[in-house]
Amino acid sequence: TGAALAVAATTPPPSTATEFNLQYAAQRMATASGGSLRGRPTTEATSGQLQLPLIDRPAKTTTLVIGFECSDAGRYTIRLDAKIVATETCRRPPSLSNGPWDGGVVQPPPAKAGGPQLVTLPTDTASAILVAAPSGSTALTVSARGAARFAIWISWVRMPDLAESAAQKAALKDGVVTQTEYLAAVNRVVGCMDALGHPLESVDLSGQTAGFRFSDDPLTEGAFSHCFPTEFAHVREVWVEEHLPGT
C-alpha cells in the first residue's frame, strides 16, 4: 500500500525516541482493541497547525489510531474534517490530574458516547486514541494555540467484526436483564478469556457493576476487547439502565 496519509507541508521528523514512544502507544492501543495496523504510518513533528489529508485508505478500514505527544503545555484540538474528535491537554509535571503512567505512555480514559475524547497528559509523554473515520472523511487537523509544539503518529487500523454471542442476544431478547442473566454474562466473559488462553486475574462483584482485573500486556488486553463486547457489553448497558438510573 502507499502512504496512509499525506502531509500538507514539509516538517522536520520527530526524534527517534519520540517516534518510538508514539509508535509504541499507537500499536498498543490498536492491539488492545483487537485491531491490526494497515498501510504505511505517517509521523510528523511541528507546531501550531497541521492538516493531514486522508488518502490511500486500505480496504475494510474505518478507524485511525493516533499517537500524540506535546512538547509545550497547552490545549491541542484534533478534528476529523469539522468534527472535534479529541482534546489533548498537556501540563508540565507534576500537575498531571488524570491518566496512569505506563512507561512513558498515558492510556486515556474512554470517551463518552458521541463525544470527543478528553486526554490529560504530561508534556513529552505519548498517548494514543482510536478514532472512527467513516467513508468520505477527508482530513485530520491538529490545532494548537500559538506555536505550541507537538508530534503525531497516525495509521489506519482494521478492526475485527465483533458480533454478539447467541447467549447475549437471548438475554436481551425481552429487553430485561435479570440478576441471573447478568451473572451468566459475567461468567461467559471469564470462560471466553480462559478459552483464548488469557485468564482473568479476578472478578470483583462487590460493586454496583462487575469489575474485571487482568494483566496489561497487549495480547491479554486484545482478548478482553473481544470477550467483553461479544458476551457482556450490551447486557451491562441494560443492567445499568434498569438498576442504576442516572449512572
Side-chain angles (χ1 to χ4, degrees):
T1 58
L5 302 160
V7 184
T10 302
T11 55
S15 69
T16 301
T18 297
E19 183 172 358
F20 174 85
N21 287 337
L22 291 170
Q23 181 175 345
Y24 173 79
Q27 287 183 324
R28 178 167 183 169
M29 176 62 71
T31 302
S33 301
S36 56
L37 302 182
R38 290 291 187 270
R40 185 182 304 164
T42 289
T43 180
E44 297 294 333
T46 188
S47 62
Q49 308 285 323
L50 178 67
Q51 184 177 70
L52 303 172
L54 304 182
I55 63 172
D56 292 343
R57 179 195 297 260
K60 298 182 179 180
T61 55
T62 58
T63 303
L64 290 168
V65 63
I66 303 172
F68 185 86
E69 181 173 319
C70 53
S71 298
D72 297 313
R75 180 171 295 178
Y76 302 76
T77 302
I78 301 176
R79 290 179 172 86
L80 183 64
D81 294 332
K83 180 182 179 181
I84 297 176
V85 293
T87 298
E88 308 259 357
T89 301
C90 295
R91 299 175 180 172
R92 291 288 181 190
S95 60
L96 177 69
S97 63
N98 74 325
W101 285 91
D102 186 12
V105 172
V106 166
Q107 298 296 328
K112 293 183 177 180
Q117 300 189 58
L118 307 177
V119 185
T120 300
L121 69 160
T123 53
D124 301 316
T125 301
S127 68
I129 58 174
L130 291 172
V131 172
S135 177
S137 302
T138 62
L140 192 79
T141 304
V142 182
S143 302
R145 181 174 296 179
R149 297 166 297 162
F150 61 91
I152 193 167
W153 190 100
I154 303 175
S155 178
W156 291 103
V157 180
R158 180 177 295 173
M159 301 299 292
D161 296 325
L162 298 179
E164 288 181 342
S165 68
Q168 182 167 206
K169 289 181 179 178
L172 297 168
K173 189 173 182 179
D174 61 359
V176 176
V177 172
T178 66
Q179 184 178 32
T180 299
E181 290 170 330
Y182 182 83
L183 293 176
V186 171
N187 288 332
R188 288 197 303 274
V189 174
V190 174
C192 178
M193 294 293 288
D194 287 345
L196 293 177
H198 299 282
L200 295 167
E201 294 179 354
S202 63
V203 179
D204 183 3
L205 297 175
S206 63
Q208 294 179 317
T209 60
F212 302 91
R213 183 178 180 83
F214 50 91
S215 63
D216 62 355
D217 68 275
L219 291 178
T220 301
E221 291 175 347
F224 187 76
S225 295
H226 168 80
C227 294
F228 185 86
T230 56
E231 300 292 353
F232 185 66
H234 288 169
V235 164
R236 182 187 183 279
E237 288 177 8
V238 175
W239 174 267
V240 168
E241 290 174 0
E242 293 174 350
H243 298 275
L244 304 172
T247 302

